[in-house]
Amino acid sequence: EEISAYILKKLTQDAEQYLGEKVTDVVITCPAYFGINEREATRKAGEIAGFNVRQIINEPTAAAIAYGSLDSTDERVVLVYDLGGGTFDITMIDIRKDSVEVICTGGDHHLGGKDWDDRIVAYLVEKFQAETKTDEDILDDPDTWQDLQLSAEKAKKILSQRPKTPISVTHGGERVKILLEREKFEELTEDLLERTIEFTREMLQEAKKKGYNRFDEFILVGGATRMPHVKERIQKEFSITPKVFDPDEAVAKGAAIYGWKLILNDKLIQRLSTQTKKPIRDVEEIPEMIEGEVLTLEDVKEAVRHVADETGYTLPSVESSMMRVKNVTSKSFGVVAHNPYNQEIVYNIVLRNTTVPVSRRQNFYTAVENQKSVLIRIMESETSRVEIPVPTAVEIKTAVLNLPSNLPADLPIEITFVLNEEGRLHITAVETSESRQVEVLVDTASVIQGEDFERAKARSQSLTIH
């Protein structure tokens, strides 16, 4: 978190220098496949850097916001194939005039351009060993390892433009020149590309369950999508020509547009609340309030006109900032329980690819008479099934609910999971005899907190980053 905070500070310093004004609020993106731990750590990094973190949004969603902001009134279903340096996400997004809605997402946060580099490195080591007739693992030498990583990345980029490239490997006083052809590179990495195709097929199956049987466009973001065989393989598999959309900057631009949306939304809410003397927390409430005749369309139009005058933006721009952005959870969340055969299982309460925010309630039951307490083990998993074996999930938090004495067996314990737009999880467990309850906000032990967090903040404020 602290290292990420330094990167964020450097970025905002550069922005401040360019803009000539102070940056206080930030929108930070993360891979769609990030779980509770990683999202919480991302937020903490922004807070350590001294910023008001307005929202954490998924990278493919940000790319779709940037793509959807282009001059087009067409409603379309888009697949965002995001292959970055370290992660792969595939996301289906329904782009409409007034909303960007994520249908479902999939991927692998251990698959990215770095894996393609590693395949080249392994090939170079093999060639060097064959040429010099040695079985020494030259990667044990940190300098050689670093040189090979840099050479591999450079070769990968050249092979996106040319059919072959020479690479020199130097180690222990010996130098070997190797010619790597694009065909060989594609052969070495074919299984990695197939994994992305497999994840895409799985995601399309999930989308079908939600009634989406087709898509209109396939867009490629992330630097690694520049490799020609990515485009060719997608074209062959899905009979569609994918569009390369601003691979390096689409996500950052989408986050910036989202930040702009939040600022205008704040102004609209403030103006509408002042104008109508009615409390409004979110622009997403406005359509319901109009439907319920709490607000009128004229109230909204007047607020839009006022904000347009105040900011200098056009009326259509201010109206477009009211677009709804709906996301889904990329994991399933549940608790450890016993099934009717008394086997320990994970029972998922919120399933992967459920639209957020979401609230789900489920009853569980005490096992024996006079049970003193209930241990609630909160689990995260990458499946869409309700009941799964315990080893296939990861424990992210535990809580203990103490029970009154002399309770019968099979007393209902009501567990509620509430997941917000950012993927933050709030859990409540209530026993139904005396309504004793325990509440848990999941910011897990692996994320910096407490005194460590405060010390990191203090360190960050006293540092200048060059």
Side-chain angles (χ1 to χ4, degrees):
E1 295 94 330
E2 224 172 322
I3 292 168
S4 289
Y6 298 155
I7 295 166
L8 290 169
K9 276 194 86 163
K10 174 71 174 102
L11 284 167
T12 43
Q13 272 176 209
D14 291 350
E16 285 171 352
Q17 207 173 342
Y18 180 81
L19 296 166
E21 59 183 275
K22 188 89 180 129
V23 173
T24 54
D25 291 27
V26 293
V27 170
I28 309 176
T29 64
C30 70
Y33 240 58
F34 264 17
I36 296 280
N37 280 5
E38 298 95 333
R39 286 171 195 273
E40 193 60 30
T42 303
R43 170 171 282 280
K44 287 278 201 282
E47 290 171 1
I48 289 168
F51 301 116
N52 174 25
V53 182
R54 289 296 303 265
Q55 206 148 333
I56 308 292
I57 66 169
N58 289 350
E59 287 165 5
T61 310
I65 289 168
Y67 189 67
S69 72
L70 300 176
D71 293 333
S72 173
T73 52
D74 296 343
E75 296 191 345
R76 57 220 191 273
V77 176
V78 174
L79 291 197
V80 180
Y81 177 105
D82 183 357
L83 186 59
T87 61
F88 169 69
D89 292 313
I90 180 73
T91 306
M92 179 181 275
I93 298 178
D94 191 349
I95 300 176
R96 297 174 179 266
K97 286 187 198 107
D98 59 352
S99 67
V100 172
E101 185 174 350
V102 177
I103 306 308
C104 49
T105 191
D108 185 345
H109 53 292
H110 298 299
L111 177 64
K114 171 75 166 57
D115 295 287
W116 272 257
D117 299 347
D118 289 345
R119 291 294 171 86
I120 296 176
V121 169
Y123 177 72
L124 297 176
V125 170
E126 193 184 298
K127 283 296 203 185
F128 181 88
Q129 287 173 331
E131 197 78 28
T132 57
K133 299 186 171 45
T134 177
D135 58 0
E136 179 196 354
D137 185 356
I138 64 173
L139 296 181
D140 287 341
D141 179 339
D143 291 334
T144 303
W145 181 86
Q146 180 69 20
D147 287 345
L148 287 179
Q149 286 289 338
L150 292 169
S151 297
E153 189 182 7
K154 187 180 173 188
K156 175 181 72 177
K157 289 176 177 176
I158 291 169
L159 289 172
S160 291
Q161 308 294 327
R162 298 181 202 157
K164 55 191 170 189
T165 182
I167 309 167
S168 290
V169 181
T170 307
H171 174 77
E174 299 206 61
R175 190 163 181 264
V176 173
K177 206 169 185 183
I178 298 156
L179 188 71
L180 180 60
E181 296 182 340
R182 187 190 287 174
E183 205 173 304
K184 182 64 183 174
F185 169 57
E186 290 176 0
E187 180 194 312
L188 292 169
T189 57
E190 187 183 8
D191 64 307
L192 298 174
L193 186 53
E194 285 310 307
R195 272 166 66 190
T196 72
I197 298 297
E198 191 50 47
F199 281 119
T200 305
R201 287 196 202 109
E202 283 174 19
M203 190 275 302
L204 288 170
Q205 286 305 312
E206 288 285 319
K208 278 183 182 170
K209 293 176 192 171
K210 290 185 160 192
Y212 283 79
N213 296 307
R214 48 173 285 282
F215 55 89
D216 304 305
E217 293 176 0
F218 202 123
I219 68 169
L220 306 178
V221 297
T225 56
R226 286 194 172 93
M227 295 182 289
H229 58 299
V230 171
K231 199 171 180 179
E232 288 161 14
R233 183 68 187 87
I234 288 166
Q235 204 158 354
K236 185 182 171 188
E237 179 72 27
F238 301 107
S239 306
I240 192 168
T241 304
K243 298 177 183 176
V244 178
F245 175 64
D246 206 352
D248 298 318
E249 294 176 356
V251 170
K253 285 177 179 174
I257 292 166
Y258 193 78
W260 167 83
K261 165 190 159 55
L262 292 177
I263 289 167
L264 288 186
N265 288 177
D266 290 349
K267 291 181 183 298
L268 279 167
I269 289 165
Q270 198 178 358
R271 178 64 195 174
L272 264 175
S273 300
T274 309
Q275 205 173 285
T276 61
K277 307 284 188 292
K278 286 163 187 161
I280 302 160
R281 289 166 303 175
D282 197 314
V283 290
E284 305 226 343
E285 293 178 354
I286 292 172
E288 285 170 28
M289 291 175 88
I290 291 170
E291 217 171 279
E293 298 181 355
V294 179
L295 290 177
T296 68
L297 210 49
E298 196 44 54
D299 288 333
V300 179
K301 282 180 179 172
E302 191 185 327
V304 167
R305 279 195 296 272
H306 180 88
V307 172
D309 290 342
E310 186 192 334
T311 59
Y313 290 117
T314 62
L315 285 171
S317 286
V318 177
E319 282 167 358
S320 74
S321 79
M322 293 167 72
M323 69 173 173
R324 295 190 313 280
V325 177
K326 289 188 178 176
N327 231 319
V328 295
T329 170
S330 58
K331 310 270 183 181
S332 291
F333 300 99
V335 293
V336 174
H338 284 85
N339 66 11
Y341 309 104
N342 208 28
Q343 297 163 319
E344 207 174 51
I345 54 145
V346 172
Y347 187 95
N348 282 321
I349 296 171
V350 175
L351 292 179
R352 192 175 75 157
N353 287 318
T354 299
T355 301
V356 288
V358 61
S359 177
R360 291 273 190 275
R361 186 173 293 153
Q362 184 68 38
N363 276 355
F364 296 88
Y365 300 88
T366 53
V368 291
E369 278 182 36
N370 201 25
Q371 190 169 321
K372 298 281 187 290
S373 63
V374 176
L375 173 65
I376 301 158
R377 292 173 63 195
I378 301 151
M379 311 295 278
E380 179 181 89
S381 60
E382 297 183 5
T383 175
S384 299
R385 286 180 294 129
V386 175
E387 292 186 15
I388 57 169
V390 175
T392 60
V394 176
E395 185 177 291
I396 55 171
K397 192 90 172 184
T398 59
V400 174
L401 175 62
N402 292 314
L403 301 174
S405 52
N406 303 318
L407 288 181
D410 291 329
L411 178 88
I413 306 290
E414 189 181 86
I415 296 184
T416 307
F417 274 33
V418 179
L419 199 67
N420 75 358
E421 294 91 336
E422 293 185 9
R424 293 178 112 195
L425 186 58
H426 183 267
I427 293 126
T428 312
V430 182
E431 60 80 17
T432 51
S433 69
E434 293 183 9
S435 295
R436 290 192 189 185
Q437 72 172 49
V438 61
E439 290 194 42
V440 183
L441 178 64
V442 179
D443 55 350
T444 57
S446 61
V447 175
I448 192 167
Q449 53 196 314
E451 284 182 19
D452 288 341
F453 176 59
E454 293 305 325
R455 280 196 293 267
K457 271 173 88 170
R459 273 195 298 273
S460 174
Q461 297 318 305
S462 63
L463 282 175
T464 304
I465 305 209
H466 297 290

